[in-house]
């Protein structure tokens, strides 16, 4: 008995191999026998965790859920944030297929080399969990913590403060990596500035390590944008904005987007002295994942 328990050969090729071995059999019979033995065509499944699973992973999810329910009960905004995959801007192939006249596919470049004149697009998303409404800030420079917080700021100025005129707090749910990594000092410094400007108490809850795929923005928002622009070359930033803004779902998802021409230099260092000035309060439960940036001055009513 061979230890081989899988194969990429089709049932027709398997039948041919059996015939060559002296067995008279059709490919239909091979197909039936494989199914009878419990075999089927399967793709790879992403189930193996990288590294060890944190002992408080489930407890952190329960903590986030309680906090989100508390905020929504009090009509306070809860947003899920993340950066979507960077995209090349230009006549490049975009995966997927669209209906076209037979033999007339959209022609794109053979190689995916960055066009210096057009660069890349960096879509940073803000998803309003309660209202099923998304906002995308499309950057052109670097995906830094300053860019991440500026995206949240733009959402608040364009949509948030009108939707939640009585709000005093904001809950941000984010994974633990990238520009909003819970260890990044610039992320917290920029959130402090936003808290001071808006007068909001900024509450942050990070998903535990290795669980970014469960961030609500991924499957409730970004996935629909990807489906909407399948097979369409992202020829300009304007086209990207239009395709994002045109994204809808049968569940009523609303989307808006805006181009951000700002510059966000990377490798900015925040000193211990500056960190000490932050009005940062850590939660008793995993304060590295759950914390609040309070405004340094009292909120002034208009």
């Amino acid at each position: 008995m061979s230890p081989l328990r899988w194969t990429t050969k089709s049932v027709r090729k398997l039948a041919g191999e059996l015939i060559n071995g002296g067995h008279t059999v059709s490919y239909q019979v091979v197909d039936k026998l494989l199914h009878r033995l419990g075999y089927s065509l399967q793709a790879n499944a992403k189930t193996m965790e990288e590294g060890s699973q944190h002992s408080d992973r489930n407890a952190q999810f329960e903590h986030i859920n309680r906090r989100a329910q508390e905020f929504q009960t009090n009509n306070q905004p809860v947003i899920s944030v993340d950066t979507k995959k960077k995209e090349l801007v230009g006549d490049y192939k975009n995966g997927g297929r669209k209906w076209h006249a037979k033999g007339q596919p959209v022609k794109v470049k053979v190689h995916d080399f960055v066009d210096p004149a057009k660069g890349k697009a960096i879509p940073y998303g803000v998803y309003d969990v309660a209202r099923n409404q998304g906002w995308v800030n499309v950057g052109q420079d670097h995906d830094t913590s300053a860019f991440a917080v500026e995206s949240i700021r733009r959402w608040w100025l364009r949509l948030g403060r009108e939707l939640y005129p009585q709000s005093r707090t904001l809950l941000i749910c984010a994974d633990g990596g990238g520009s909003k990594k819970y260890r990044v000092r610039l992320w917290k410094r920029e959130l402090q500035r936003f808290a001071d400007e808006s007068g909001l108490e900024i509450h942050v809850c990070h998903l535990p390590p290795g669980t970014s795929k469960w961030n609500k923005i991924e499957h409730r928002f970004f996935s629909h944008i990807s489906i909407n622009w399948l097979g369409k070359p992202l020829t300009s930033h304007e086209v990207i904005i239009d395709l994002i803004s045109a994204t809808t779902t049968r569940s009523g998802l609303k989307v808006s987007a805006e181009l951000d021409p700002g510059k966000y230099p990377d490798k900015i260092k925040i000193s211990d002295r500056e960190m000490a000035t932050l009005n940062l309060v850590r939660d008793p439960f995993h304060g590295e994942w759950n914390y609040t940036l309070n405004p340094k001055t009292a909120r002034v009513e208009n």
Side-chain angles (χ1 to χ4, degrees):
M1 292 289 290
S2 166
L4 180 64
R5 291 292 178 270
W6 57 268
T7 181
T8 59
K9 291 183 178 182
S10 68
V11 291
R12 293 178 185 272
K13 289 186 176 180
L14 289 171
E17 295 286 348
L18 289 170
I19 292 171
N20 292 336
H23 304 280
T24 302
V25 66
S26 68
Y27 74 89
Q28 293 97 332
V29 170
V30 173
D31 182 74
K32 289 180 180 179
L33 287 172
L34 285 171
H35 281 86
R36 189 179 298 170
L37 292 170
Y39 288 85
S40 63
L41 290 172
Q42 298 185 43
N44 298 155
K46 289 185 177 181
T47 57
M48 297 174 62
E49 297 289 348
E50 296 83 358
S52 59
Q53 178 177 316
H54 198 284
S55 59
D56 287 333
R57 185 168 83 162
N58 189 63
Q60 175 64 5
F61 276 120
E62 292 177 349
H63 177 80
I64 294 173
N65 187 55
R66 286 193 300 270
R67 295 290 282 156
Q69 289 181 344
E70 174 189 334
F71 272 68
Q72 290 174 347
T73 299
N74 295 313
N75 196 32
Q76 300 296 301
V78 178
I79 59 174
S80 174
V81 302
D82 200 5
T83 310
K84 197 178 186 300
K85 181 176 73 70
K86 295 179 183 178
E87 302 287 349
L88 291 176
V89 181
D91 297 314
Y92 302 102
K93 182 179 179 180
N94 195 5
R97 296 183 292 177
K98 291 292 182 182
W99 288 102
H100 292 283
K102 189 174 182 180
Q104 298 182 29
V106 176
K107 296 180 179 180
V108 296
K109 296 178 179 179
V110 175
H111 300 292
D112 294 340
F113 298 127
V114 179
D115 183 342
K118 295 184 177 181
K120 296 182 178 181
I122 308 171
Y124 194 96
V126 178
Y127 177 66
D128 185 331
V129 176
R131 296 178 181 270
N132 194 26
Q133 186 168 346
W135 158 268
V136 180
N137 189 39
V138 181
Q140 305 173 77
D141 194 42
H142 295 98
D143 180 19
T144 68
S145 295
F147 171 64
V149 177
E150 176 61 20
S151 300
I152 297 171
R153 180 184 288 107
R154 285 174 172 240
W155 166 80
W156 174 252
L157 294 175
R158 307 294 192 277
L159 298 172
R161 63 180 178 180
E162 183 176 342
L163 294 171
Y164 301 94
Q166 305 302 319
S167 63
R168 297 293 181 272
T169 59
L170 169 66
L171 176 59
I172 300 173
C173 299
D175 61 44
S179 57
K180 64 272 183 263
K181 194 171 183 178
Y182 60 87
R183 290 193 180 98
V184 175
R185 291 184 170 192
L186 182 61
W187 162 254
K188 295 183 176 68
R189 198 278 301 274
E190 293 300 312
L191 285 176
Q192 180 66 69
R193 290 181 173 179
F194 176 46
D196 294 340
E197 295 166 7
S198 63
L200 293 169
E201 292 179 6
I202 309 297
H203 298 255
V204 182
C205 289
H206 291 278
L207 275 69
T211 62
S212 59
K213 63 183 177 182
W214 283 291
N215 197 354
K216 290 186 182 297
I217 195 171
E218 298 290 346
H219 50 88
R220 289 193 182 181
F221 186 30
F222 282 163
S223 60
H224 299 297
I225 293 175
S226 298
I227 292 171
N228 189 58
W229 69 24
L230 281 176
K232 299 177 182 178
L234 308 176
T235 54
S236 68
H237 286 93
E238 290 71 22
V239 167
I240 291 173
I241 296 294
D242 290 343
L243 288 172
I244 292 174
S245 301
T247 303
T248 58
T249 65
R250 279 184 284 183
S251 62
L253 175 67
K254 295 180 180 179
V255 183
S256 53
E258 184 178 275
L259 185 65
D260 184 349
K263 298 296 182 182
Y264 301 96
D266 55 2
K267 300 180 181 178
I268 294 178
K269 303 294 184 182
I270 307 299
S271 67
D272 292 342
R273 179 178 296 181
E274 190 168 5
M275 284 297 296
T277 67
L278 304 186
N279 195 0
L280 174 68
V281 179
R282 298 187 182 275
D283 195 275
F285 177 74
H286 278 288
E288 75 278 18
W289 297 341
N290 308 293
Y291 49 86
T292 302
L293 278 305
N294 293 302
K296 293 181 182 178
T297 58
R299 177 169 177 162
V300 178
E301 300 291 344
N302 294 327

